[in-house]
């Protein structure tokens, strides 16, 4: 038998188009996340920029389907694609985003078709299926049922719908023969299964990439960003501030005689000190607009402070030094006190690369250590 008689060509086309739409969406999402610098953040399509992008992407897709249907002159075209779109935006994008996408499809329908009998049938059918899908999603999540229950339910809904089309033979739908009915039910079941597998696999890969990114950029002990994240963020900030009148300052901090703490009291005590110092740095940095803390080495930390001039950064550094000096750290049944050395510098016109800025801040830190530690060295303030 020929490929056409076996329906392999339209079925494979449907599968590849369906997967292509989702894969391209995921590629664009990853691109947005990479550009934002939040590669270690869990992907959330329900809020923020990803929610807006998702609504725009699938609204455009829905409008395109309505345009093709209008050009064909009957609703038989792309029925399975349109229903898959309706089902999956409802499942994965939530009520608010899916409602906007459905409304955009309604608006496109009105513009392209006007208020015809077919438009009224389309509105009614879409609204019923949309509400039914919301109900199914709610039941599955409330009772923590397996995803296969939801996918199977969608297959049943679609099968019943095609049988109704076959029975009613609606004039705006064209002739729906048994051959067309059975093929569309079969192709939907296959595309639905492939799409669910593809989305599940891509979501698993996204979670895995997020975990790897988090491990690469987040210190597991202090929960602060690590050196890799620091270098990327510093380069971004330097590029953003090089040609502006706004100040960009940086603080480098080192715990004094930290090796002695490890040698005298053990590495567990040293780890507790690092965690406590990291918490202090985060607590204090939250008082500075847009400041971000990093653990860049064993006992060395850096704080990038956008829109902060040198006098303000100096005041912050002395306050931070005093708070750490006056804090008693209860660790392993001991009460320890520590000091820190600091260096502070401001991005200057000669800092053509982020490394020059970083190295100058580091020199300020090592000047403090060379002066006996427990010091703060501010650039141009000796």
């Amino acid at each position: 038998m020929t490929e056409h008689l076996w329906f392999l060509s339209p079925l494979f086309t449907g599968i590849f188009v369906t997967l292509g739409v989702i894969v391209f969406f995921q590629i664009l999402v990853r691109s947005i996340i990479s550009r934002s610098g939040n590669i270690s953040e869990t992907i959330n399509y329900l809020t923020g920029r990803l929610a807006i992008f998702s609504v725009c992407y699938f609204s455009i897709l829905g409008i395109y389907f309505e345009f093709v249907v209008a050009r064909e002159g009957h609703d038989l075209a792309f029925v399975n694609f349109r229903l898959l779109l309706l089902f999956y935006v409802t499942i994965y994008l939530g009520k608010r985003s899916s409602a906007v996408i459905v409304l955009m499809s309604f608006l496109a329908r009105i513009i392209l078709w006007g208020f015809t009998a077919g438009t009224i049938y389309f509105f009614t059918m879409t609204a019923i299926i949309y509400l039914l899908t919301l109900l199914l999603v709610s039941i599955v999540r409330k009772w923590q049922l397996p995803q296969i229950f939801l996918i199977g339910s969608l297959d049943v809904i679609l099968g019943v719908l095609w049988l109704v089309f076959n029975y009613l033979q609606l004039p705006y739908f064209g002739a729906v023969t048994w051959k067309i009915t059975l093929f569309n039910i079969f192709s939907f079941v296959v595309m639905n299964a492939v799409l669910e597998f593809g989305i599940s696999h891509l979501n698993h890969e996204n979670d895995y990439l997020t975990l790897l990114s988090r491990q690469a950029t987040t210190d597991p002990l202090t929960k602060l960003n690590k050196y890799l994240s620091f270098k990327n963020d510093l380069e971004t900030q330097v590029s953003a501030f090089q040609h502006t009148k706004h100040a960009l300052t940086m603080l480098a901090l080192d715990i004094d005689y930290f090796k002695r703490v490890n040698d005298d009291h053990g590495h567990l005590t040293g780890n507790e000190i690092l965690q406590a110092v990291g918490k202090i740095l985060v607590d204090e940095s939250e008082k500075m607009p847009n400041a971000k803390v990093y653990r860049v080495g064993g006992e060395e930390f850096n704080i990038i402070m956008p829109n902060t001039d040198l006098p303000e950064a100096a005041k912050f550094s002395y306050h931070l030094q005093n708070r750490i000096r006056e804090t008693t750290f209860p660790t392993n049944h001991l009460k320890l006190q520590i000091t820190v050395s600091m260096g502070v510098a401001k991005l200057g016109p000669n800092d053509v690369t982020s490394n020059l800025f970083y190295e100058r801040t580091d020199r300020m830190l090592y000047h403090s250590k060379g002066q006996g530690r427990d010091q703060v060295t501010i650039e141009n303030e000796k």
Side-chain angles (χ1 to χ4, degrees):
M1 292 185 178
T2 65
E3 181 181 79
H4 177 71
L5 290 177
W6 278 99
F7 295 111
L8 291 179
S9 180
L11 177 57
F12 283 148
T13 299
I15 291 173
F16 286 124
V17 169
T18 302
L19 287 178
V21 166
I22 297 302
V23 170
F24 186 57
F25 172 72
Q26 292 282 352
I27 290 172
L28 294 177
V29 166
R30 271 289 161 191
S31 177
I32 293 172
I33 294 173
S34 297
R35 290 180 179 275
S36 69
N38 296 324
I39 57 175
S40 62
E41 295 295 324
T42 301
I43 295 179
N44 184 359
Y45 301 111
L46 302 181
T47 59
R49 284 180 294 181
L50 289 187
I52 297 173
F53 171 74
S54 301
V55 168
C56 293
Y57 181 89
F58 288 106
S59 292
I60 292 172
L61 190 62
I63 292 170
Y64 169 74
F65 283 148
E66 294 309 318
F67 172 77
V68 173
V69 171
R71 189 178 61 183
E72 293 292 324
H74 59 82
D75 267 316
L76 190 61
F78 287 101
V79 170
N80 285 350
F81 286 108
R82 293 151 75 195
L83 288 173
L84 281 172
L85 173 66
L86 175 62
F87 288 147
Y88 280 86
V89 297
T90 307
I91 294 170
Y92 287 100
L93 300 185
K95 294 180 183 179
R96 183 184 304 173
S97 296
S98 60
V100 173
I101 295 169
V102 170
L103 288 174
M104 293 300 294
S105 296
F106 283 177
L107 181 61
R109 177 78 184 204
I110 293 173
I111 293 173
L112 294 169
W113 290 74
F115 282 103
T116 64
T119 299
I120 296 174
Y121 288 136
F122 171 79
F123 286 175
T124 303
M125 179 189 74
T126 303
I128 291 173
I129 295 176
Y130 176 62
L131 294 175
L132 188 57
T133 306
L134 284 176
L135 178 61
L136 283 171
V137 171
S138 176
I139 292 172
V140 167
R141 291 176 180 170
K142 180 178 180 180
W143 296 99
Q144 298 182 345
L145 299 174
Q147 187 78 353
I148 190 65
F149 175 84
L150 181 58
I151 302 307
S153 299
L154 299 181
D155 291 338
V156 171
I157 292 173
L158 189 282
V160 171
L161 190 65
W162 274 107
L163 291 174
V164 170
F165 292 156
N166 175 266
Y167 177 76
L168 294 179
Q169 295 294 325
L170 298 172
Y172 69 93
F173 228 81
V176 181
T177 65
W178 275 107
K179 185 177 180 180
I180 291 174
T181 300
L182 294 176
F183 169 71
N184 277 285
I185 292 174
F186 173 73
S187 63
F188 180 87
V189 171
V190 174
M191 287 193 294
N192 191 22
V194 171
L195 184 58
E196 171 59 24
F197 172 79
I199 292 177
S200 299
H201 180 74
L202 288 171
N203 286 339
H204 176 74
E205 290 297 313
N206 282 333
D207 292 341
Y208 182 65
L209 288 173
T210 299
L211 176 62
L212 290 180
S213 299
R214 189 173 292 138
Q215 290 175 342
T217 58
T218 305
D219 174 40
L221 179 64
T222 62
K223 308 305 179 186
L224 299 176
N225 288 310
K226 295 191 335 190
Y227 180 77
L228 177 62
S229 180
F230 165 73
K231 289 292 288 182
N232 291 336
D233 288 353
L234 179 61
E235 189 169 339
T236 300
Q237 293 285 4
V238 168
S239 298
F241 279 82
Q242 272 176 332
H243 306 293
T244 68
K245 296 181 180 179
H246 301 288
L248 175 67
T249 54
M250 182 162 55
L251 182 153
L253 176 149
D254 194 281
I255 299 175
D256 295 331
Y257 303 109
F258 185 70
K259 184 177 183 301
R260 187 182 300 170
V261 173
N262 283 330
D263 291 342
D264 293 346
H265 306 289
H267 288 280
L268 290 179
T269 297
N271 288 344
E272 292 179 23
I273 293 289
L274 289 171
Q275 289 175 316
V277 169
K279 187 176 185 309
I280 290 174
L281 297 181
V282 170
D283 290 344
E284 294 297 333
S285 295
E286 288 177 349
K287 303 172 185 176
M288 304 290 288
N290 303 315
K292 198 168 182 179
V293 186
Y294 307 82
R295 183 187 177 193
V296 297
E299 65 270 23
E300 188 171 339
F301 302 82
N302 277 63
I303 304 176
I304 299 176
M305 295 177 282
N307 299 309
T308 303
D309 57 23
L310 208 54
E312 188 178 4
K315 181 180 178 181
F316 170 75
S317 302
Y318 286 119
H319 168 74
L320 191 58
Q321 180 194 38
N322 287 331
R323 178 174 172 183
I324 293 174
R325 183 195 292 131
E326 295 170 0
T327 297
T328 299
F329 296 90
T331 61
N332 195 25
H333 307 298
L334 299 172
K335 291 184 178 180
L336 300 179
Q337 287 186 295
I338 61 171
T339 60
V340 294
S341 300
M342 298 188 194
V344 183
K346 176 184 174 182
L347 181 68
N350 295 326
D351 294 323
V352 293
T353 67
S354 60
N355 283 339
L356 292 174
F357 182 33
Y358 177 43
E359 289 169 2
R360 198 171 68 257
T361 309
D362 220 33
R363 286 202 303 272
M364 299 300 108
L365 168 61
Y366 279 90
H367 182 273
S368 293
K369 295 174 72 172
Q371 294 298 307
R373 294 178 170 78
D374 193 21
Q375 304 286 328
V376 177
T377 301
I378 310 297
E379 182 182 30
N380 298 326
E381 181 179 306
K382 303 279 184 78

